[in-house]
Amino acid sequence: MSMNEFLTDEKIDTAALEASVMRPSDGALAIFSGLVRNHHAGLDVESILYEAYRPMAESEIGKIVTAVGERYPDVRIAVKHRLGLLRVGEASIVIACSSPHRADAFAACREMIDRIKETVPIWKKERTTQGETWIGWQG
Amino acid sequence: MSMNEFLTDEKIDTAALEASVMRPSDGALAIFSGLVRNHHAGLDVESILYEAYRPMAESEIGKIVTAVGERYPDVRIAVKHRLGLLRVGEASIVIACSSPHRADAFAACREMIDRIKETVPIWKKERTTQGETWIGWQG
Amino acid sequence: MTSNTQETQEQMIRVRLLLFAVLRDIAGSGETDLVLRIGSTAGDVWQLLRERYPELEGYGAPPMTAINMEYVPPDTLLREGDELAFIPPVSGG
Amino acid sequence: MTSNTQETQEQMIRVRLLLFAVLRDIAGSGETDLVLRIGSTAGDVWQLLRERYPELEGYGAPPMTAINMEYVPPDTLLREGDELAFIPPVSGG
């Protein structure tokens, strides 16, 4: 596991991710981008700060790539999650899944984002017009 | 219906498609690209020629965009299908679906490509090492 | 595919036939102007094509049929000025 | 959070505690070295945190717990040199 395989502090280079998965045998490429929205829970969002337990987040994303790759052996998967301060409209995550056939590419891409949102130790703090809040903590 | 809303003879500009659908309220962007594969039915594919009944193809894609948009009212949809001679690895179609939430973006993107493959009058002729064949015709 | 010159113009309609992809290759031409008897259907034109082009003999039923860029059943009556297209199985995407 | 200096070093273990996001903000620090009795569990450390930080009082059960970057149940025994992290509900993606 490289320390910077799946996490980045820079704008995500979607074209590079795509190029890293596409093979001549692929007929389908599914890309998912998570974007910073301008609203959440009725509030106007100005920006989001993403923070991670970095080595564990790298490890957990790696496990998910492996697990989803085993379920869809024809699919090649790449993923980058951005950390730091993001503005509305910027991508926090991009997942690229290429496959000979589209059903697997879509399914793998969907499973990737669903699992990443469940277990990877990354947190976001929203800055809204009402102040700053860590999302997910009910304290 | 513009004559060149959904069809193009040029390389598809995915970034422009993305930009055309993304709104500040969107948290998810799903992109599907159909790629020319290097194999089909056991043969090595060198290139594919795409041909369309152009005005009807524009009309049919427009109907699909409308129908899928009605099923997923929060999703904004853009699509381009390329015509002419394409090489292995090039994109024949790109569909971009943005939405506040990812489930709708994925579902709309998947329905778009499934429906386009069913009814839009576009045909491909594969050039393989064994010669040229129109795909789909069992004559 | 040709007009019957014995009949009067009032009993005839003009239809533009479009053929694509494998059908155009078989017919050698993508666009043909037809003069047909009133009452002719899209399916009747398909039968004319089958009689002219032996490659189509195996296809009793027409492929998908469009009139004026809308899919229609093959028994749809043709009208003056219609644009008729036979749509081989599509393979876009 | 502090060692009991009455006990010998042999009965104690050193553990590095990592806190993230809202937990770090509450604790005021993201990394703390703990000296704990042998036999301490991750859950025991969570109870220490609750006693020290009133903001955590409502949370009897710890959030997700990781030792050496692997999720574990809260009753997992800590060992010398472990890296312990409490993982508030994640919100990545």
Side-chain angles (χ1 to χ4, degrees), chain D residues 35-48:
Chain D
V35 179
L36 303 166
R37 285 191 188 84
I38 284 178
S40 294
T41 66
D44 293 338
V45 177
W46 180 251
Q47 293 310 317
L48 289 174

Side-chain angles (χ1 to χ4, degrees), chain B residues 61-73:
Chain B
I61 294 175
K63 287 179 191 172
I64 293 169
V65 169
T66 300
V68 174
E70 283 171 358
R71 281 173 50 74
Y72 302 97

Side-chain angles (χ1 to χ4, degrees), chain B residues 22 52 66 95 125:
Chain B
M22 281 171 58
T66 300
I95 300 166
K125 187 189 208 170

Side-chain angles (χ1 to χ4, degrees), chain A residues 1 8 19-20 23-24 32 97 102 120-121:
Chain A
M1 177 198 68
T8 179
S20 75
R23 299 155 295 190
F32 175 79
C97 293
R102 69 186 184 280
V120 177

Side-chain angles (χ1 to χ4, degrees), chain B:
Chain B
M1 178 197 68
S2 143
M3 269 302 289
N4 291 299
E5 188 172 359
F6 303 120
L7 303 177
T8 179
D9 298 301
E10 312 293 332
K11 185 172 184 305
I12 298 170
D13 184 346
T14 301
L17 272 194
E18 290 180 15
S20 75
V21 295
M22 281 171 58
R23 299 155 295 189
S25 55
D26 289 323
L29 175 67
I31 308 282
F32 175 79
S33 302
L35 309 172
V36 174
R37 279 189 294 165
N38 66 358
H39 66 284
H40 180 242
L43 297 174
D44 290 332
V45 175
E46 295 171 348
S47 62
I48 293 185
L49 181 72
Y50 281 92
E51 168 182 323
Y53 180 7
R54 293 183 81 121
M56 184 173 172
E58 289 278 356
S59 167
E60 288 293 314
I61 294 175
K63 287 179 191 172
I64 293 169
V65 169
T66 300
V68 174
E70 283 171 358
R71 281 173 50 74
Y72 302 97
D74 289 341
V75 179
R76 195 183 245 185
I77 301 165
V79 52
K80 283 282 182 193
H81 199 302
R82 184 173 165 189
L83 301 176
L85 189 71
L86 276 72
R87 307 262 165 213
V88 170
E90 293 190 305
S92 51
I93 188 168
V94 178
I95 300 166
C97 293
S98 67
S99 172
H101 302 287
R102 69 186 184 281
D104 284 352
F106 272 111
C109 198
R110 180 66 197 272
E111 286 194 28
M112 284 297 304
I113 183 61
D114 288 353
R115 292 193 188 201
I116 285 170
K117 282 178 172 278
E118 281 172 9
T119 62
V120 177
I122 298 177
W123 302 271
K124 64 179 175 187
K125 187 189 208 170
E126 281 183 355
R127 175 178 294 170
T128 75
T129 47
Q130 303 297 306
E132 296 191 333
T133 318
W134 286 104
I135 302 303
W137 182 256
Q138 307 302 317

